[in-house]
Amino acid sequence: MRMQGLRWWVVSLVAIATIINYIDRQTINVLWPEYIAPDLFPDMDADGHKYILGIISTVFIFAYAAGQAIFGKIFDWIGTRLGFVLSIGVWSLATAAHAIAQGVLSFSFFRAVLGVAEAGNWPGAAKANAEWFPTKERALAQGIFNSGAAIGGIISIPLIGYLAFYFDWKLIFILVGLVGLVWLVPWWFIVKGPPESHDWLSDEEREYILSGQKVEGATDADDGYNPPTGELLARKESWGVIIASAAIDPIWWLFIIWIPTYLFEVFNFNIKDLVASGWLPYVGAMLGAWFGGLLAQNRLKVGWSVNKTRKFTITLGCLIMLPALLALSVAVTPWIALTLMFIILFGFQTAIGNVQTLPSDLYGKGTVGTLSGISGMAAKLSAAALTFLVPIMTAGANYYSVFVLGAALALTAIASVWLLCGEIKPLKPKTA
């Protein structure tokens, strides 16, 4: 049996997993202000509810950070196929278990399990990208992965809000948890192995994939530069990737966690308002993911180097975010705020797909999962710090300082790529 374009089936399944990932994690954020918090903490005010969500979300992101490093190694050890089975299987069960949570401790526990397991999606996506795509298509493939996050954001708010009209919040967690278990069936049967050994892959596509991954001057047996972890962390290029990830990622989490609460607090939204328009910023994210991938692919096709393409696209995305973040700090109407968030998430996704391809641009396939996991862990630690600070910085529904901080983080991401990554190309071992 042969399947034409099998690599696009693989990327599509990972994108669907990413959609499920974001629906699962967004369920609590959509339901929290109007359903979960008033049900479990009826004596608290809005700042108190926000503080508890901040604690639970910080626990989730810390667990997610640990999971990035753990699953980076797991995917390098057991492979892409089994890695995704383990990751999505556990996170789906953890999502359903939220239905029995009763307070801060139990919510934090289930969020921690969810965070560790959901983290596997990203080093897994990076590794699948490195295995299944030639270098010139990797930014587009990463953009498709990342558009899954945006589509998950678009779907989750109206879907979960609509379900809330008819079902108790506890049943909603069970329903969304079941979806991930269904995804395991096509993944298990379609992704039977890597391109080198997959018997459904045509000879033409196999050659196209593998020849497009070869390092210039390398032999067929050469898998690129795959240093041990200590040597990996001794390279400034690795720290360019790690710091860029740690600077840019908190901007995404700021909106993923707090968009519903921000709209409820600042503009007096209710669940119907949220269902009607709260998903619009994620349309910008989806378009930005496609734009960033297609732009990078186009620049490479016309002869730009990987170095010039990555730096240009990452810088452009961050410069799109910068003025919009500053303007959002003083937005006075919900439609202005939604439009600015649309622009911010468009810029973020333009940049992030190219940031996430940097490990595969610099290192061999045996190291991609490790560096992706470490940089992902650093990103989540910085995101956790910001998430914990948001309830403190926004007491009384004043979000000015948070959005100004986001603008500073965008500038930091640009600086780290330009100053630390050097020329973005496959690295070689340092000679004595």
Side-chain angles (χ1 to χ4, degrees), residues 265-281:
E265 274 198 318
V266 177
F267 299 111
N268 298 314
F269 268 40
N270 56 38
I271 195 68
K272 291 182 179 179
D273 298 324
L274 196 65
V275 167
S277 61
W279 49 272
L280 288 171

Side-chain angles (χ1 to χ4, degrees), residues 85-148:
V85 170
L86 179 62
S87 176
I88 197 168
V90 173
W91 98 49
S92 298
L93 295 173
T95 298
H98 281 59
I100 62 174
Q102 296 295 317
V104 177
L105 184 60
S106 53
F107 261 119
S108 296
F109 175 76
F110 294 130
R111 295 304 283 179
V113 177
L114 179 69
V116 170
E118 282 203 335
N121 191 76
W122 300 106
K127 191 169 182 66
N129 192 354
E131 287 179 348
W132 282 91
F133 286 88
T135 300
K136 66 182 180 181
E137 289 184 346
R138 283 176 181 168
L140 177 59
Q142 197 70 38
I144 294 172
F145 296 148
N146 289 337
S147 72

Side-chain angles (χ1 to χ4, degrees), residues 63 65 93 96 106 127 159 195 226 274 286 290 298-299 303 339 349 351 403 411:
L93 295 173
S106 53
K127 191 169 182 66
L159 173 64
N226 295 290
L274 196 65
M286 178 182 68
W290 295 341
N298 173 265
R299 293 298 86 196
T339 300
Q349 289 290 353
F403 296 136
L411 287 173

Side-chain angles (χ1 to χ4, degrees), residues 22 146 245 247-253 255 284-285 288-289 313-314 316-318 320-321 342-356:
Y22 269 81
N146 289 337
S245 300
I248 198 172
D249 208 51
I251 300 172
W252 176 252
W253 285 86
F255 293 98
T313 311
I314 292 167
L316 176 63
C318 290
I320 289 171
M321 285 192 287
F342 179 103
I343 294 169
I344 292 163
L345 296 188
F346 178 91
F348 175 87
Q349 289 290 353
T350 295
I352 192 62
N354 285 269
V355 172
Q356 290 169 341

Side-chain angles (χ1 to χ4, degrees), residues 52-68:
I52 291 176
L53 180 60
I55 292 174
I56 294 170
S57 299
T58 301
V59 169
F60 171 79
I61 300 174
F62 270 123
Y64 198 100
Q68 288 271 342

